[in-house]
Amino acid sequence: MYFKMHFQCVLMLIFVMSDDSLGFDVRGPSGPLVVPLGGSAILPCYVETPLEKVKVVWKRTDSEALVHLYQDGESRPEAQHKDYHHRAHFFTDQIQHGNFSLLLENVRAEDEGVYRCKVYSQQLADKTLVEIKHVERLLVSGSDRSVSAYDGEDVTLSCSVDSHITPEHIEEVSWIRTDGDIMVLLYQNNETFSDSTDEQYRDRVEFFTAEIPKGNFSLRLKSVRTEDKGVYMCHVFAGGLSANATVVMEQLGFSSWHIAVLFFCFAAGSGAVLLLCSLIYYRSKNTDTSSIIWTLQVSLIFCPNICMFLAFMFWGFTEGSLHEAVTCCALYILRPVMLMWALHYLKYLQGILEFKVFFFFFKRSVNAYCWQHVKA
Ligand SMILES: *[C@@H]1O[C@H](CO)[C@@H](O)[C@H](O)[C@H]1NC(C)=O
Ligand SMILES: *[C@@H]1O[C@H](CO)[C@@H](O)[C@H](O)[C@H]1NC(C)=O
Ligand SMILES: *[C@@H]1O[C@H](CO)[C@@H](O)[C@H](O)[C@H]1NC(C)=O
Ligand SMILES: *[C@@H]1O[C@H](CO)[C@@H](O)[C@H](O)[C@H]1NC(C)=O
């Protein structure tokens, strides 16, 4: 009985002796690490007393990717996972002191995660975990290609935010038109402030609300106008950092409204020239075609003006500048009306003309008479 118990104790002792954690203690950091993007991070891992015949394995706990291997007195870069080539090093002079801290350079966003440092020495082993909790960053991306749209269409100006700060903790996102510093749309502390939108963009801009939790602060600009052409900037403030991205809104194509405006302007111009030429032609022929002349004369008064009236009406639709459109429309439609109104008083003009003609001929005959007398 006594012998059996003694044997069990010895067995337990052997079992405890072979346990990984016996013999030495591997220490790590006191808490999770926060590192700036592109910077360097020291992932601490050390033992109090220097060890002999040591092997150190640094791995990611999620993918089990080998970050760094130290074996037989040297580092083994060839065994490293490709993501960590030339980025993960030991402090060579520190190894002899039992300091197996890892220097991770050029930190990337994907480096966030938990790392395991496992130290082996003479059949014994221990490990510690090091967490890179956040890679501090605020990256804002717009679109490399310029955005173009037809007049009246809706466009999306993209802006996506990649940060260690979650989108609901972003302090401010402002969309600004850079040429002229026009506020297009403002988002602050989980809220969109449409009131601060410039009049030019009032009721025409919005965020994709469902996309904001994904860090997508793209802007929807509705019924684009020619004057919307320009450079737009998405400016983000979060956690004391700020970053921006620009989107260029390019040359806008002609919409059917624009084509209509152009058509009517062209029709007005060429119509006026054509009618005037025919009028001069018929008048010079001096035959009895007064009805044709009359028709031409009336057309010359009405047609170009009506064309311009329509052109301004369409222009008003596309540009939305109501005041100018109404003024110009009124002007063009009133001109023929006013001419007709003046028609009534044409006889006075005729009187003046006749008097002038009479006076001209009178002077000429007087002159002629005088000349004759002088010669005589
Ligand atoms: C290990 O070495 C690094 C780099 O020299 C140093 O920053 C760190 O403090 C050292 N750790 C210990 C425990 O000595
Ligand atoms: C936004 O809302 C979330 C919860 O919905 C909250 O945790 C966060 O603090 C808010 N952010 C700001 C800046 O108010
Ligand atoms: C953001 O959301 C808009 C609208 O749903 C979408 O068109 C765009 O592709 C999104 N951008 C990104 C980067 O996901
Ligand atoms: C936008 O970001 C660039 C760097 O990416 C910076 O040089 C520039 O000053 C920023 N513009 C504004 C208005 O903050």
Side-chain angles (χ1 to χ4, degrees):
M1 185 64 186
Y2 167 79
F3 182 76
K4 200 178 173 189
M5 262 181 70
H6 185 78
F7 180 70
Q8 269 184 346
C9 276
V10 169
L11 262 183
M12 269 174 74
L13 196 65
I14 291 170
F15 180 73
V16 169
M17 286 277 286
S18 69
D19 188 88
D20 276 2
S21 61
L22 199 88
F24 58 89
D25 254 348
V26 174
R27 307 273 172 88
S30 49
L33 310 177
V34 176
V35 237
L37 181 76
S40 302
I42 295 177
L43 282 62
C45 170
Y46 56 93
V47 292
E48 295 294 349
T49 45
L51 300 170
E52 280 177 13
K53 289 196 179 161
V54 72
K55 174 184 163 190
V56 185
V57 182
W58 272 96
K59 274 187 176 176
R60 280 192 76 125
T61 53
D62 50 0
S63 60
E64 290 296 322
L66 185 74
V67 179
H68 193 89
L69 173 66
Y70 179 85
Q71 201 173 17
D72 301 332
E74 57 185 354
S75 290
R76 299 291 180 85
E78 71 279 1
Q80 261 174 339
H81 187 271
K82 63 174 171 23
D83 286 350
Y84 296 95
H85 267 312
H86 308 299
R87 288 209 301 137
H89 312 279
F90 270 2
F91 296 95
T92 326
D93 56 331
Q94 293 284 329
I95 297 168
Q96 54 186 334
H97 305 305
N99 183 348
F100 311 115
S101 299
L102 187 77
L103 174 67
L104 184 61
E105 291 174 322
N106 191 14
V107 173
R108 305 170 183 169
E110 310 85 81
D111 291 339
E112 273 177 11
V114 180
Y115 295 77
R116 188 195 318 107
C117 168
K118 193 162 186 178
V119 180
Y120 301 82
S121 178
Q122 298 175 333
Q123 273 93 53
L124 299 177
D126 191 24
K127 61 178 188 281
T128 187
L129 298 180
V130 182
E131 183 187 5
I132 296 185
K133 194 169 183 193
H134 294 310
V135 173
E136 267 188 321
R137 65 195 184 278
L138 182 61
L139 299 174
V140 180
S141 46
S143 64
D144 301 332
R145 287 187 304 124
S146 58
V147 179
S148 56
Y150 287 112
D151 208 275
E153 272 187 348
D154 295 354
V155 286
T156 302
L157 307 181
S158 31
C159 171
S160 49
V161 180
D162 172 34
S163 177
H164 64 290
I165 298 161
T166 49
E168 64 266 22
H169 291 99
I170 287 176
E171 288 136 34
E172 183 183 312
V173 176
S174 53
W175 270 101
I176 302 163
R177 174 92 176 265
T178 55
D179 43 330
D181 268 337
I182 301 167
M183 174 59 74
V184 179
L185 193 56
L186 179 67
Y187 170 93
Q188 252 175 356
N189 303 328
N190 293 339
E191 265 188 87
T192 306
F193 290 90
S194 310
D195 294 348
S196 50
T197 296
D198 188 86
E199 199 179 334
Q200 188 184 335
Y201 296 98
R202 199 61 55 85
D203 303 325
R204 292 201 297 133
V205 285
E206 63 189 19
F207 286 116
F208 297 91
T209 321
E211 294 282 328
I212 289 180
K214 298 176 207 161
N216 182 347
F217 287 91
S218 298
L219 181 83
R220 184 175 185 77
L221 175 57
K222 290 183 278 191
S223 46
V224 168
R225 305 170 186 166
T226 317
E227 69 214 39
D228 293 339
K229 202 163 87 173
V231 181
Y232 293 77
M233 180 187 277
C234 169
H235 206 160
V236 182
F237 297 89
L241 302 170
S242 101
N244 65 66
T246 51
V247 179
V248 180
M249 183 118 99
E250 265 287 341
Q251 188 69 51
L252 296 165
F254 285 123
S255 69
S256 38
W257 292 113
H258 268 114
I259 292 167
V261 170
L262 278 178
F263 171 77
F264 282 115
C265 283
F266 181 73
S270 52
V273 169
L274 215 68
L275 286 168
L276 194 67
C277 289
S278 347
L279 197 61
I280 290 167
Y281 170 72
Y282 278 111
R283 280 193 153 180
S284 66
K285 260 176 55 174
N286 228 355
T287 48
D288 193 17
T289 48
S290 59
S291 72
I292 292 179
I293 292 179
W294 171 247
T295 316
L296 285 172
Q297 196 87 59
V298 170
S299 308
L300 192 57
I301 293 172
F302 275 97
C303 293
N305 278 302
I306 285 173
C307 284
M308 286 313 287
F309 165 78
L310 290 170
F312 272 109
M313 214 163 69
F314 288 128
W315 180 71
F317 273 125
T318 54
E319 299 304 308
S321 31
L322 197 68
H323 306 299
E324 283 138 297
V326 166
T327 317
C328 294
C329 279
L331 191 73
Y332 275 103
I333 205 70
L334 280 179
R335 264 157 89 174
V337 173
M338 271 154 69
L339 266 172
M340 275 163 62
W341 193 44
L343 217 63
H344 193 62
Y345 302 93
L346 211 61
K347 56 176 185 277
Y348 296 111
L349 186 69
Q350 229 163 14
I352 292 166
L353 279 175
E354 274 166 10
F355 176 71
K356 271 190 172 168
V357 169
F358 166 76
F359 188 70
F360 175 72
F361 280 110
F362 174 74
K363 248 172 77 180
R364 261 182 65 173
S365 31
V366 168
N367 276 355
Y369 178 79
C370 288
W371 269 110
Q372 271 178 6
H373 278 261
V374 167
K375 271 184 184 172

